[in-house]
Amino acid sequence: QVQLVESGGGLVQAGGSLRLSCAASGRTFGRYAMGWFRQAPGKEREFVAAVSWSGGTTYYADSVKGRFTISRDNAKNTVFLQMNSLKLEDTAVYYCAGGQDYAATTNSYEYSYWGQGTQVTVSS
């Protein structure tokens, strides 16, 4: 049974930073792509960032490019999302997602497993 558990969310002022973590269990972590998505109140879930099985390929939404960095530690079965220069519009529940194969993808339907989410709130 695959489990994804996010942590690291919280309240931060605009311009600040947070680092989200997602600990995975239940399958060979290093064989699969991982992603981060987010959902703000009243909005649909949207892609944030993705990383391939090796960490060699990454994708970002235009809205976070240059501010967020996705990375992974396959030895620790963990994927990270470093968020810098946070903006009010980054406020959302952030979800970690486990891919169906090794290639990074921006499409939510290509992710089979989802965490419970962690709240990120950016204040002015």
Side-chain angles (χ1 to χ4, degrees), residues 25-44:
S25 62
R27 66 175 183 176
T28 305
F29 178 79
R31 293 182 182 175
Y32 298 94
M34 297 293 294
W36 287 96
F37 290 76
R38 68 186 181 186
Q39 187 167 19
K43 296 188 177 181
E44 294 187 353

mmCIF file of all heavy atoms in Angstrom, residues 25-44:
data_model
loop_
_atom_site.group_PDB
_atom_site.id
_atom_site.type_symbol
_atom_site.label_atom_id
_atom_site.label_comp_id
_atom_site.label_asym_id
_atom_site.label_seq_id
_atom_site.Cartn_x
_atom_site.Cartn_y
_atom_site.Cartn_z
ATOM 1 N N SER A 25 6.167 5.681 1.020
ATOM 2 C CA SER A 25 6.377 4.286 1.415
ATOM 3 C C SER A 25 5.456 3.390 0.604
ATOM 4 O O SER A 25 4.471 3.856 0.028
ATOM 5 C CB SER A 25 6.121 4.100 2.913
ATOM 6 O OG SER A 25 4.774 4.413 3.220
ATOM 7 N N GLY A 26 5.797 2.112 0.550
ATOM 8 C CA GLY A 26 4.918 1.143 -0.086
ATOM 9 C C GLY A 26 5.307 0.707 -1.474
ATOM 10 O O GLY A 26 4.689 -0.209 -2.030
ATOM 11 N N ARG A 27 6.319 1.367 -2.078
ATOM 12 C CA ARG A 27 6.817 0.899 -3.360
ATOM 13 C C ARG A 27 8.239 1.417 -3.509
ATOM 14 O O ARG A 27 8.705 2.213 -2.692
ATOM 15 C CB ARG A 27 5.939 1.353 -4.522
ATOM 16 C CG ARG A 27 5.915 2.858 -4.768
ATOM 17 C CD ARG A 27 5.119 3.183 -6.006
ATOM 18 N NE ARG A 27 5.138 4.615 -6.311
ATOM 19 C CZ ARG A 27 4.589 5.168 -7.376
ATOM 20 N NH1 ARG A 27 3.959 4.401 -8.272
ATOM 21 N NH2 ARG A 27 4.649 6.473 -7.588
ATOM 22 N N THR A 28 8.910 0.985 -4.572
ATOM 23 C CA THR A 28 10.287 1.409 -4.791
ATOM 24 C C THR A 28 10.284 2.853 -5.261
ATOM 25 O O THR A 28 10.091 3.156 -6.439
ATOM 26 C CB THR A 28 10.975 0.503 -5.828
ATOM 27 O OG1 THR A 28 10.857 -0.863 -5.406
ATOM 28 C CG2 THR A 28 12.441 0.868 -5.955
ATOM 29 N N PHE A 29 10.524 3.742 -4.336
ATOM 30 C CA PHE A 29 10.395 5.182 -4.571
ATOM 31 C C PHE A 29 11.215 5.647 -5.763
ATOM 32 O O PHE A 29 10.747 6.421 -6.597
ATOM 33 C CB PHE A 29 10.821 5.913 -3.301
ATOM 34 C CG PHE A 29 10.795 7.414 -3.409
ATOM 35 C CD1 PHE A 29 9.603 8.104 -3.312
ATOM 36 C CD2 PHE A 29 11.977 8.131 -3.586
ATOM 37 C CE1 PHE A 29 9.574 9.488 -3.399
ATOM 38 C CE2 PHE A 29 11.961 9.507 -3.676
ATOM 39 C CZ PHE A 29 10.758 10.188 -3.575
ATOM 40 N N GLY A 30 12.442 5.170 -5.843
ATOM 41 C CA GLY A 30 13.367 5.678 -6.838
ATOM 42 C C GLY A 30 13.035 5.318 -8.274
ATOM 43 O O GLY A 30 13.724 5.775 -9.193
ATOM 44 N N ARG A 31 12.000 4.542 -8.528
ATOM 45 C CA ARG A 31 11.630 4.146 -9.894
ATOM 46 C C ARG A 31 10.574 5.052 -10.501
ATOM 47 O O ARG A 31 10.258 4.918 -11.695
ATOM 48 C CB ARG A 31 11.099 2.716 -9.892
ATOM 49 C CG ARG A 31 12.137 1.663 -9.557
ATOM 50 C CD ARG A 31 11.524 0.281 -9.640
ATOM 51 N NE ARG A 31 12.484 -0.758 -9.289
ATOM 52 C CZ ARG A 31 12.177 -2.045 -9.191
ATOM 53 N NH1 ARG A 31 10.945 -2.452 -9.411
ATOM 54 N NH2 ARG A 31 13.105 -2.921 -8.879
ATOM 55 N N TYR A 32 10.020 5.959 -9.718
ATOM 56 C CA TYR A 32 8.850 6.700 -10.166
ATOM 57 C C TYR A 32 9.033 8.208 -10.078
ATOM 58 O O TYR A 32 9.702 8.722 -9.173
ATOM 59 C CB TYR A 32 7.631 6.300 -9.335
ATOM 60 C CG TYR A 32 7.272 4.844 -9.467
ATOM 61 C CD1 TYR A 32 7.756 3.914 -8.554
ATOM 62 C CD2 TYR A 32 6.486 4.396 -10.512
ATOM 63 C CE1 TYR A 32 7.455 2.570 -8.676
ATOM 64 C CE2 TYR A 32 6.170 3.053 -10.647
ATOM 65 C CZ TYR A 32 6.660 2.148 -9.723
ATOM 66 O OH TYR A 32 6.359 0.820 -9.854
ATOM 67 N N ALA A 33 8.394 8.890 -11.017
ATOM 68 C CA ALA A 33 8.347 10.347 -10.962
ATOM 69 C C ALA A 33 7.478 10.792 -9.792
ATOM 70 O O ALA A 33 6.618 10.047 -9.320
ATOM 71 C CB ALA A 33 7.777 10.887 -12.258
ATOM 72 N N MET A 34 7.717 12.020 -9.346
ATOM 73 C CA MET A 34 6.924 12.606 -8.269
ATOM 74 C C MET A 34 6.511 14.013 -8.672
ATOM 75 O O MET A 34 7.183 14.672 -9.473
ATOM 76 C CB MET A 34 7.728 12.659 -6.972
ATOM 77 C CG MET A 34 8.132 11.296 -6.419
ATOM 78 S SD MET A 34 6.727 10.312 -5.869
ATOM 79 C CE MET A 34 6.141 11.297 -4.483
ATOM 80 N N GLY A 35 5.417 14.472 -8.078
ATOM 81 C CA GLY A 35 4.951 15.807 -8.404
ATOM 82 C C GLY A 35 4.331 16.508 -7.214
ATOM 83 O O GLY A 35 4.032 15.881 -6.194
ATOM 84 N N TRP A 36 4.184 17.814 -7.368
ATOM 85 C CA TRP A 36 3.448 18.630 -6.406
ATOM 86 C C TRP A 36 2.339 19.360 -7.151
ATOM 87 O O TRP A 36 2.557 19.916 -8.233
ATOM 88 C CB TRP A 36 4.367 19.658 -5.742
ATOM 89 C CG TRP A 36 5.328 19.089 -4.749
ATOM 90 C CD1 TRP A 36 6.635 18.730 -4.967
ATOM 91 C CD2 TRP A 36 5.073 18.818 -3.370
ATOM 92 N NE1 TRP A 36 7.197 18.247 -3.817
ATOM 93 C CE2 TRP A 36 6.268 18.300 -2.816
ATOM 94 C CE3 TRP A 36 3.965 18.963 -2.537
ATOM 95 C CZ2 TRP A 36 6.377 17.923 -1.475
ATOM 96 C CZ3 TRP A 36 4.071 18.597 -1.214
ATOM 97 C CH2 TRP A 36 5.267 18.080 -0.687
ATOM 98 N N PHE A 37 1.161 19.363 -6.551
ATOM 99 C CA PHE A 37 0.008 20.089 -7.046
ATOM 100 C C PHE A 37 -0.531 20.937 -5.907
ATOM 101 O O PHE A 37 -0.177 20.723 -4.746
ATOM 102 C CB PHE A 37 -1.069 19.112 -7.540
ATOM 103 C CG PHE A 37 -0.691 18.377 -8.795
ATOM 104 C CD1 PHE A 37 0.218 17.334 -8.754
ATOM 105 C CD2 PHE A 37 -1.220 18.742 -10.023
ATOM 106 C CE1 PHE A 37 0.595 16.657 -9.911
ATOM 107 C CE2 PHE A 37 -0.863 18.080 -11.186
ATOM 108 C CZ PHE A 37 0.047 17.033 -11.117
ATOM 109 N N ARG A 38 -1.392 21.878 -6.233
ATOM 110 C CA ARG A 38 -2.007 22.689 -5.189
ATOM 111 C C ARG A 38 -3.432 23.039 -5.568
ATOM 112 O O ARG A 38 -3.799 23.046 -6.738
ATOM 113 C CB ARG A 38 -1.195 23.956 -4.930
ATOM 114 C CG ARG A 38 -1.201 24.959 -6.077
ATOM 115 C CD ARG A 38 -0.235 26.117 -5.781
ATOM 116 N NE ARG A 38 -0.240 27.106 -6.843
ATOM 117 C CZ ARG A 38 0.588 28.146 -6.884
ATOM 118 N NH1 ARG A 38 1.491 28.331 -5.926
ATOM 119 N NH2 ARG A 38 0.518 29.016 -7.887
ATOM 120 N N GLN A 39 -4.210 23.319 -4.539
ATOM 121 C CA GLN A 39 -5.602 23.715 -4.753
ATOM 122 C C GLN A 39 -5.947 24.830 -3.793
ATOM 123 O O GLN A 39 -5.897 24.646 -2.569
ATOM 124 C CB GLN A 39 -6.540 22.526 -4.561
ATOM 125 C CG GLN A 39 -7.974 22.839 -4.933
ATOM 126 C CD GLN A 39 -8.831 21.597 -5.044
ATOM 127 O OE1 GLN A 39 -8.492 20.533 -4.528
ATOM 128 N NE2 GLN A 39 -9.949 21.711 -5.742
ATOM 129 N N ALA A 40 -6.298 25.961 -4.351
ATOM 130 C CA ALA A 40 -6.727 27.117 -3.566
ATOM 131 C C ALA A 40 -8.244 27.067 -3.398
ATOM 132 O O ALA A 40 -8.944 26.436 -4.199
ATOM 133 C CB ALA A 40 -6.306 28.397 -4.271
ATOM 134 N N PRO A 41 -8.763 27.733 -2.380
ATOM 135 C CA PRO A 41 -10.216 27.733 -2.151
ATOM 136 C C PRO A 41 -10.973 28.219 -3.382
ATOM 137 O O PRO A 41 -10.646 29.267 -3.950
ATOM 138 C CB PRO A 41 -10.380 28.693 -0.978
ATOM 139 C CG PRO A 41 -9.081 28.640 -0.273
ATOM 140 C CD PRO A 41 -8.039 28.467 -1.331
ATOM 141 N N GLY A 42 -11.963 27.439 -3.797
ATOM 142 C CA GLY A 42 -12.789 27.829 -4.926
ATOM 143 C C GLY A 42 -12.154 27.621 -6.283
ATOM 144 O O GLY A 42 -12.739 28.005 -7.305
ATOM 145 N N LYS A 43 -10.971 27.037 -6.311
ATOM 146 C CA LYS A 43 -10.272 26.828 -7.578
ATOM 147 C C LYS A 43 -10.000 25.348 -7.789
ATOM 148 O O LYS A 43 -10.027 24.549 -6.856
ATOM 149 C CB LYS A 43 -8.964 27.611 -7.606
ATOM 150 C CG LYS A 43 -9.149 29.117 -7.560
ATOM 151 C CD LYS A 43 -7.836 29.826 -7.775
ATOM 152 C CE LYS A 43 -8.023 31.337 -7.808
ATOM 153 N NZ LYS A 43 -6.734 32.053 -8.046
ATOM 154 N N GLU A 44 -9.694 25.005 -9.039
ATOM 155 C CA GLU A 44 -9.350 23.632 -9.347
ATOM 156 C C GLU A 44 -7.896 23.348 -8.945
ATOM 157 O O GLU A 44 -7.068 24.255 -8.857
ATOM 158 C CB GLU A 44 -9.550 23.364 -10.842
ATOM 159 C CG GLU A 44 -10.987 23.433 -11.283
ATOM 160 C CD GLU A 44 -11.166 22.999 -12.728
ATOM 161 O OE1 GLU A 44 -10.166 22.772 -13.413
ATOM 162 O OE2 GLU A 44 -12.327 22.879 -13.156
#
